[in-house]
Amino acid sequence: MFHRRRMSARGPLLPLLACTTLAWAAAPGLAQAPATQPLVLDAHADIPNPLDHPERTTTTIDAGTEVDIDKLRAGGVGAIILSIHAPKRAPTPQEHRIEREIADAKLKAIREIATRHPDKAAIALTAADVRGIAASGRVAIVLSVLNGSPYAQDADAVRALHDQGVRVIGFVHAGNNELADSSRPFARDVPGANGGLSPLGKQWVADANRHGVVLDVSQLTTQALLQTVALSKTPVLATHSGVRALVDSPRNLTEEELKAVADTGGAVCVVAFSSYLINPTPDQQQQLQAVIARHGGLKNGYEGLSVAQREALYADLAKLGFKATVDQYLDSVDHAVKAVGIDHVCLSTDFNHGSTGLIGWEDEGQTGNVTAALRKRGYSEADIGKLWSGNVLRVLEAAEAAAAR
């Protein structure tokens, strides 16, 4: 059993809203980061659905997005955990097939980034791979799954995912599934129907430990999160979560949850997603609700919306102009560090999946601004290294070591 001890310390929005960013303060001028930086790892980002973009035959799926491989390199980002995410759909065989098609297409598309740009990127299977690839001047890509539903009907699914290179698994996104309860259940869901983790979800915990796959507890209910950390024999990550003490969203972690993750030896990656960093005023909340209502209410996520309808929704939300600043982001980072210690906090963007970044960090090319702001707040170089990659790599190494045993 992993020794559970923390290391040395130093107004909800709409629950289903995963595409808005909030804030309304002007960005202060941010100094550019020095030429030398610690190994920078973005612990959670996504790619567009390749099935929505059949025209992308001459470019890889990241081209022109917030995580464009050239933006990653320009921003000094040496590694990124990219998500194979298919949104939860209605519980029918046909909808399940669509989920799986999306997931398989994303897995293929992420791999193509590395195969078509071998001079710029490579798939990392271990923490040592991450360090070696980044040291070579390329971007290390770690594969993750968010929403295990597309694979839940497969025998020995975790082993199969591991064999395909997946090293991080998050059981749910919005909507309950066969594995666990989501912190943002759909209207059709019975809240808490699984009692936290389902029997299959509990089996996946054991399977992940056995195969060296890290468990991602972001998006789970409190009950499911606490069950996961109690069952897991290795440290866990929350790859894209906020702090509920600052913004009372079901997507954010309570102080109890923060400490539970840290007590496994794991880490909470504070996400640069404005909805989970700052509270809207009542007027701003009304504006958001009006836009959502105009586009159908999203009671079951984005189910039923075409690509054009989703893009129209995103465009209307973007017009509201609500966006947090880098300093407001670091307020959440500071809170997490004070709550659980510098060894248990990390950083992520959720780019290409809801987050459109912050004022001062709108794509991976501006990542140096965050490092500069951390230095301005007094974080040491050693601490910055832990926040950016050290803590995540330690968790990956612990999973690898447990599997080897």
Side-chain angles (χ1 to χ4, degrees):
M1 174 71 76
F2 187 84
H3 185 52
R4 297 176 182 278
R5 177 176 61 82
R6 288 205 305 279
M7 301 167 110
S8 59
R10 184 195 187 232
L13 286 175
L14 295 175
L16 294 176
L17 183 56
C19 53
T20 5
T21 48
L22 303 173
W24 29 92
L30 291 172
Q32 292 300 307
T36 58
Q37 294 189 77
L39 170 53
V40 174
L41 181 152
D42 179 351
H44 184 84
D46 201 356
I47 60 168
N49 178 0
L51 303 181
D52 287 346
H53 298 279
E55 76 283 358
R56 292 195 179 212
T57 56
T58 59
T59 61
T60 49
I61 194 64
D62 60 297
T65 73
E66 295 148 349
V67 301
D68 185 306
I69 198 70
D70 290 328
K71 292 188 179 83
L72 286 161
R73 300 175 80 211
V77 181
I80 188 167
I81 300 179
L82 282 180
S83 171
I84 301 158
H85 170 255
K88 185 71 184 81
R89 301 174 72 93
T92 68
Q94 173 61 23
E95 295 301 294
H96 185 270
R97 281 194 293 272
I98 294 173
E99 284 182 10
R100 183 57 178 265
E101 288 170 2
I102 294 171
D104 288 347
K106 284 197 170 186
L107 173 59
K108 180 176 182 287
I110 293 171
R111 286 188 169 283
E112 282 182 349
I113 299 171
T115 57
R116 293 170 66 179
H117 298 293
D119 58 326
K120 297 180 180 180
I123 302 296
L125 300 180
T126 66
D129 285 348
V130 171
R131 294 188 179 97
I133 293 165
S136 75
R138 296 172 296 165
V139 176
I141 298 173
V142 179
L143 297 173
S144 71
V145 164
L146 181 62
N147 178 28
S149 180
Y151 306 99
Q153 297 178 38
D154 292 6
D156 210 3
V158 176
R159 179 200 57 77
L161 288 168
H162 174 271
D163 289 351
Q164 294 180 80
V166 171
R167 293 298 180 266
V168 180
I169 291 178
F171 288 168
V172 298
H173 184 245
N176 296 346
N177 66 18
E178 302 93 324
L179 301 169
D181 295 324
S182 169
S183 61
R184 296 177 297 158
F186 289 155
R188 63 164 174 261
D189 293 335
V190 176
N194 290 301
L197 296 179
S198 70
L200 181 60
K202 293 173 182 176
Q203 181 60 53
W204 274 40
V205 173
D207 291 346
N209 287 172
R210 183 164 59 254
H211 294 295
V213 176
V214 174
L215 293 160
D216 179 2
V217 297
S218 288
Q219 307 272 1
L220 292 170
T221 61
T222 297
Q223 184 180 25
L225 183 150
L226 295 178
Q227 289 173 352
T228 302
V229 301
L231 290 170
S232 180
K233 294 179 172 60
T234 63
V236 304
L237 289 173
T239 66
H240 55 300
S241 290
V243 175
R244 198 175 300 190
L246 300 183
V247 176
D248 187 14
S249 165
R251 264 281 280 107
N252 287 351
L253 301 186
T254 65
E255 301 299 283
E256 177 188 24
E257 291 171 314
L258 292 171
K259 290 177 172 61
V261 171
D263 281 343
T264 71
V268 174
C269 302
V270 179
V271 66
F273 195 139
S274 298
S275 298
Y276 307 122
L277 298 174
I278 52 180
N279 292 293
T281 67
D283 180 61
Q284 290 155 350
Q285 178 77 343
Q286 286 181 0
Q287 292 179 54
L288 286 167
Q289 290 174 338
V291 170
I292 296 299
R294 197 160 63 243
H295 288 270
L298 306 184
K299 295 183 184 297
N300 290 310
Y302 303 117
E303 217 170 88
L305 294 184
S306 67
V307 176
Q309 288 170 326
R310 289 200 305 273
E311 290 177 349
L313 167 64
Y314 300 155
D316 283 352
L317 289 167
K319 290 174 186 174
L320 298 177
F322 301 152
K323 210 164 192 177
T325 66
V326 168
D327 276 340
Q328 288 169 317
Y329 172 65
L330 293 187
D331 289 342
S332 288
V333 174
D334 286 349
H335 183 100
V337 168
K338 289 174 184 174
V340 296
I342 192 68
D343 294 306
H344 303 287
V345 182
C346 40
L347 312 177
S348 66
T349 62
D350 209 10
F351 279 148
N352 288 335
H353 190 174
S355 174
T356 56
L358 311 173
I359 299 172
W361 194 19
E362 295 181 334
D363 59 45
E364 298 286 4
Q366 298 179 345
T367 301
N369 289 339
V370 180
T371 306
L374 286 166
R375 291 190 176 107
K376 186 177 179 181
R377 289 201 176 203
Y379 285 91
S380 69
E381 293 303 301
D383 287 348
I384 293 171
K386 290 178 179 182
L387 291 171
W388 266 131
S389 61
N391 294 334
V392 172
L393 294 179
R394 184 191 72 243
V395 173
L396 290 174
E397 287 169 336
E400 294 165 19
R405 291 194 296 271

